Amino acid sequence: MPKVLADNEEVVFQEGIPKEPSHIYELLMGAFAEQRRSVVKFIVDGKDALQSGEFGKSFELIEAESLSHDEITLRLSIDFINQMNTLEDSISAYQLNILTTPWSEVFKQMDAFIQKIQPFADLIDHVCPYAQSYSPPWRTGLEQIAQDQAVTLANLLAAFENFDPAGLSAELENGFIPLFKKTIKLFDEDIIPYLKTETEKVTDETSNA
């Protein structure tokens, strides 16, 4: 008899257990969404379908795990911020060298530069949907940063496209670096503490249930 466990508890389906794992995944996602949670693991007969992208057509045992949207956003935020530990110093050094380095060398490094700042873009992209869904007290601040980020990234790209080292240097110094500092400050002082508090609330509610 097939069995479905969600967060270590057996799931009872009113109309019987669906045959296809993908259908069960959709049902669980819908049910968890009402609780501000998402499925983060979906193990079908010992294999994680979310990692493989293959759900199969039948199963004997499904084990699903969920996390609150608060905790998911917290984990992603900390992960991206950790990836940017040396970004400010690296970009500052890069900015100082632009005007003394042949443009051909600067241009060759464009892809490496984009990869270096990618976690900054990813951080905003992953947290904005949470802010829009739940309107935390820091939503306005984050949305302003998202707008400013779009502008500075567009200006950086334009400087590369226009072979403009002076413009690239100026945008990094006056646009990107100050915005990066402002973003980290907002996360350190407001966003991370808020998400930790919300995550702890969920943990306490689950423990007392």
Side-chain angles (χ1 to χ4, degrees):
M1 177 80 178
K3 180 185 291 187
V4 178
L5 300 177
D7 294 333
N8 297 317
E9 293 187 5
E10 185 169 358
V11 180
V12 177
F13 296 87
Q14 294 180 351
E15 299 179 2
I17 301 177
K19 293 182 179 180
E20 295 195 10
S22 60
H23 187 190
I24 292 174
Y25 175 73
E26 292 171 0
L27 292 173
L28 291 179
M29 283 292 288
F32 278 128
E34 295 177 0
Q35 305 170 35
R36 291 180 53 164
R37 304 180 72 85
S38 290
V39 176
V40 293
K41 285 186 180 181
F42 194 77
I43 313 297
V44 180
D45 294 333
K47 297 181 180 179
D48 193 334
L50 296 185
Q51 289 187 352
S52 67
E54 299 177 359
F55 287 81
K57 294 297 183 181
S58 62
F59 69 94
E60 291 299 322
L61 175 63
I62 287 177
E63 300 166 280
E65 294 182 18
S66 73
L67 288 176
S68 70
H69 294 166
D70 309 290
E71 186 167 359
I72 292 171
T73 306
L74 174 63
R75 291 187 180 191
L76 285 171
S77 298
I78 292 174
D79 181 51
F80 286 128
I81 288 171
N82 286 340
Q83 291 180 42
M84 297 187 291
N85 273 339
T86 61
L87 182 60
E88 183 181 344
D89 290 341
S90 177
I91 295 299
S92 294
Y94 179 80
Q95 179 264 325
L96 291 173
N97 290 330
I98 287 172
L99 298 180
T100 58
T101 302
W103 178 251
S104 60
E105 292 300 316
V106 174
F107 191 77
K108 286 179 183 177
Q109 297 173 11
M110 183 174 71
D111 288 342
F113 171 78
I114 292 173
Q115 290 180 1
K116 191 173 294 185
I117 66 174
Q118 188 63 47
F120 181 44
D122 289 340
L123 174 65
I124 305 304
D125 288 346
H126 281 81
V127 180
C128 275
Y130 175 95
Q132 291 164 359
S133 296
Y134 301 119
S135 295
W138 38 266
R139 173 178 174 173
T140 300
L142 183 67
E143 290 179 340
Q144 183 59 58
I145 283 175
Q147 293 175 15
D148 293 343
Q149 182 201 59
V151 171
T152 192
L153 293 181
N155 290 341
L156 292 174
L157 180 59
F160 274 112
E161 291 176 340
N162 296 328
F163 301 96
D164 181 9
L168 179 60
S169 177
E171 184 60 37
L172 286 173
E173 181 177 12
N174 302 316
F176 183 89
I177 293 174
L179 180 63
F180 176 77
K181 291 180 178 179
K182 180 181 178 181
T183 302
I184 295 301
K185 184 174 186 290
L186 180 66
F187 272 83
D188 284 346
E189 295 183 359
D190 297 307
I191 298 179
I192 297 297
Y194 176 90
L195 292 172
K196 285 182 176 179
T197 299
E198 293 302 303
T199 298
E200 289 168 0
K201 285 181 183 178
V202 172
T203 302
D204 289 342
E205 289 171 359
T206 302
S207 300
N208 295 329

